[in-house]
């Protein structure tokens, strides 16, 4: 079970639970053990002259401490809680990254559109999967695998083109950062909708694409 405390207001209808200070190791093990998600350790933050920088060594890293540490990261992903524990014991400050295209894909939209879509989904009484809020002001909605192939056509049926909306899908060969991973000094990834027993079964992208596309269209 994921423990949460306090909330951050986004809209009158939607609030985001903030996760307590769970260690990266404990969180990674929980994802593998309780959700059966593959996990792999990414880069981490290092203090250099009083400034936290990415372990990759790039002072201008766009995602400091929150991207793969090696090019063959897919071979390192594991769904074993025992292996995950061993990896984070070796690198306790490594970010937690989740490969997409396996047990879930992720639809990524701007934070403002995400809040609007969440409020609309609540009114529609849609069943959501987990949703993250990232420090770069994006929301990522977890859906069944295969969304990357389906979403462009689904968006066209709604009268949009994918290129006209700030909406992307992370599928096979991609990844998302999971709480409590930090993006440099920008803050940590949080759960907008945390993983629970109620959302163990993920929605299909077709169920969520209408409110998501509508919200992104409003943001143009």
């Amino acid at each position: 079970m994921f423990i949460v405390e306090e909330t951050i207001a986004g809209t009158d209808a939607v609030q985001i639970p903030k996760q307590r200070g769970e260690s990266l190791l404990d969180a990674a093990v929980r994802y593998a053990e309780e959700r059966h998600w593959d996990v792999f350790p990414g880069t981490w933050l290092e203090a250099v002259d009083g400034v936290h920088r990415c372990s990759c060594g790039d002072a201008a890293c766009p995602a400091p401490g929150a991207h793969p540490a090696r090019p063959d990261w897919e071979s390192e992903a594991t769904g074993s809680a025992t292996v995950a524990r061993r990896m984070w014991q070796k690198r306790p400050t490594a970010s937690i990254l989740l490969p997409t295209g396996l047990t879930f894909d992720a639809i990524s939209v701007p934070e403002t559109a995400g809040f609007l879509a969440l409020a609309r989904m609540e009114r529609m009484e849609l069943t959501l999967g987990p949703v993250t809020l990232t420090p770069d002001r994006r929301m990522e909605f977890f859906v069944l695998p295969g969304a990357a192939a389906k979403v462009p056509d689904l968006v066209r049926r709604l009268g949009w083109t994918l290129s006209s909306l700030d909406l992307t899908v992370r599928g096979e060969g991609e990844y998302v950062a999971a709480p409590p991973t930090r993006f440099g000094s920008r803050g940590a990834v949080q759960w907008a909708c945390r993983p629970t027993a109620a959302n163990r079964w993920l929605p299909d992208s077709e169920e969520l694409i209408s409110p998501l596309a509508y919200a992104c269209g409003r943001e143009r």
Side-chain angles (χ1 to χ4, degrees):
M1 181 178 180
F2 292 82
I3 302 172
V4 297
E5 66 177 4
E6 69 185 280
T7 56
I8 301 173
T11 68
D12 291 339
V14 183
Q15 292 185 320
I16 290 186
K18 182 181 284 187
Q19 187 170 302
R20 285 180 184 162
E22 186 177 34
S23 74
L24 290 158
L25 184 154
D26 288 342
V29 170
R30 283 176 181 269
Y31 296 145
E33 189 170 58
E34 296 181 7
R35 300 299 291 199
H36 305 293
W37 289 340
D38 279 11
V39 298
F40 69 97
T43 53
W44 55 92
L45 296 174
E46 298 176 333
V48 179
D49 297 328
V51 178
H52 283 94
R53 293 184 177 172
C54 187
S55 61
C56 72
D58 182 359
C61 179
H67 64 86
R70 41 192 279 187
D72 62 340
W73 59 266
E74 289 180 90
S75 66
E76 198 175 21
T78 180
S80 164
T82 300
V83 175
R85 182 178 299 279
R86 190 181 308 133
M87 289 194 295
W88 267 272
Q89 284 175 336
K90 183 178 178 181
R91 286 176 274 177
T93 59
S95 53
I96 303 173
L97 304 179
L98 311 175
T100 49
L102 300 173
T103 52
F104 64 87
D105 282 2
I107 302 177
S108 175
V109 300
E111 174 188 309
T112 49
F115 276 120
L116 179 62
L118 280 176
R120 190 176 179 87
M121 290 172 188
E122 284 188 357
R123 291 194 297 271
M124 296 169 68
E125 299 184 347
L126 293 178
T127 301
L128 294 177
V131 181
T132 61
L133 174 63
T134 70
D136 55 359
R137 305 185 73 83
R138 304 286 297 182
M139 277 190 178
E140 294 174 331
F141 291 72
F142 289 23
V143 295
L144 289 173
K150 294 168 63 175
V151 163
D153 185 54
L154 292 173
V155 168
R156 279 194 295 272
R157 291 185 200 172
L158 294 169
W160 304 93
T161 61
L162 199 58
S163 60
S164 70
L165 301 177
D166 189 0
L167 183 154
T168 58
V169 186
R170 300 184 189 277
E172 187 175 357
E174 299 180 274
Y175 62 89
V176 295
T181 295
R182 297 192 66 83
F183 279 57
S185 61
R186 284 176 269 169
V189 183
Q190 298 180 48
W191 287 115
C193 295
R194 65 191 180 96
T196 66
N199 63 19
R200 182 171 296 278
W201 303 106
L202 298 177
D204 190 277
S205 55
E206 191 166 357
E207 299 173 61
L208 306 188
I209 198 62
S210 178
L212 287 171
Y214 169 80
C216 288
R218 287 276 301 270
E219 290 295 303
R220 296 201 321 161

